[in-house]
Amino acid sequence: MQKLRLRYAKRGRLRFTSHRDIARTFERALRRAGVPMAYSQGFSPHPKVSWVGAAPTGVASEAEYVEVSVVDRVDPEALRTALDAVLPPGLDVLEVVQSAGGTLPERIEASAWRVELPGVSPEELTEAVAALMGAGSVEVERLTKDGKKIVDVRPAIVSAQVEAPAGVHSSDAGHDARDLSQPCGILMTVVRQTTPTVRPDDVLSALRVVADLVPPVPAKATRMAQGRLDDEGGLVDPLALDRAAEV
């Protein structure tokens, strides 16, 4: 049996697709591409597909991960090409590598997010981010299926800074072009994947708490990377060890 690890992107309007629907779409694509999937045992066998920390509905991503197991050896690049040909536009397989062992979740402890805030000036956002990073604790209210819950989001935020706007992000060209005549602060933040998970909307709620920052239109979040934290607060690519083993 061969285990393969895939990095894929969720772009444009597909960011509003639920993870359940994404999973169904991937399984259909695996069948259409003729991938020789391995199946579980028991009364109801299902393909061996393992998802790693899926992004919330409404959030775009350039760094989602999934593992698949196959019974016949498959060329990783051929698999990437075959899947990309049958998946809908906006659900794009960016890389496929053969597993070098270990588990993928243990290589992921944080995410890097890019959050566009239309109608918020970079100067206003910079002041709000400074207030957030200077706080020792920032509690926000989150609505869950069990009711309202208070979450302290500050410990999960590793870093946060404001990026100067530079037009439409390349992954969304042709999908969500924004009005460049309007101010748009761009927040770049690295957030630990804690329990409970701190999501981009929690970070925005924290900015509202510390600086009364409320974007006039919904913000747009994109996960840019996932991985383990290095000594400088950056992220180590979770597929780096697998690539190195292939050389």
Side-chain angles (χ1 to χ4, degrees), residues 78-96:
L79 175 60
R80 188 199 67 78
T81 302
L83 283 178
D84 226 23
V86 295
L87 285 167
L91 198 57
D92 305 310
V93 180
L94 305 178
E95 184 177 8
V96 180

Side-chain angles (χ1 to χ4, degrees), residues 20 40 62 109 137 146 155 157 163 175 186 197 224-225 231:
R20 179 175 294 182
S40 63
E62 293 294 306
E109 64 175 338
S137 173
D146 299 318
I157 302 174
E163 177 186 275
H175 290 289
I186 299 175
T197 301
M224 304 304 296
D231 293 338

Side-chain angles (χ1 to χ4, degrees), residues 111-130:
S111 292
W113 296 96
R114 182 182 193 271
V115 186
E116 295 181 15
L117 292 87
V120 176
S121 70
E123 295 76 18
E124 183 182 6
L125 181 57
T126 297
E127 292 181 7
V129 167

Side-chain angles (χ1 to χ4, degrees), residues 6 8 19-27 30 47-54 64-68 91 104-105:
L6 290 68
Y8 68 95
H19 173 62
R20 179 175 294 182
D21 287 338
I22 292 286
R24 289 172 178 165
T25 300
F26 251 96
E27 290 192 10
L30 289 165
K48 290 190 174 182
V49 179
S50 178
W51 300 90
V52 183
E64 298 300 289
Y65 294 92
V66 61
E67 294 180 313
V68 300
L91 198 57
L104 197 52

Side-chain angles (χ1 to χ4, degrees), residues 27-64:
E27 290 192 10
R28 285 197 299 269
L30 289 165
R31 290 195 297 269
R32 290 181 60 191
V35 180
M37 295 298 300
Y39 282 79
S40 63
Q41 303 296 315
F43 292 104
S44 180
H46 57 272
K48 290 190 174 182
V49 179
S50 178
W51 300 90
V52 183
T57 302
V59 170
S61 179
E62 293 294 306
E64 298 300 289

Side-chain angles (χ1 to χ4, degrees), residues 175-193:
H175 290 289
D176 299 295
R178 61 180 176 81
D179 183 358
L180 298 181
S181 67
Q182 299 298 315
C184 182
I186 299 175
L187 171 65
M188 303 296 295
T189 182
V190 174
V191 181
R192 288 187 181 89
Q193 296 182 3

Side-chain angles (χ1 to χ4, degrees), residues 143-165:
L143 185 61
T144 71
K145 62 181 181 180
D146 299 318
K148 293 181 180 179
K149 185 174 185 178
I150 301 298
V151 178
D152 183 3
V153 305
R154 181 60 188 88
I157 302 174
V158 178
S159 62
Q161 55 272 330
V162 178
E163 177 186 275

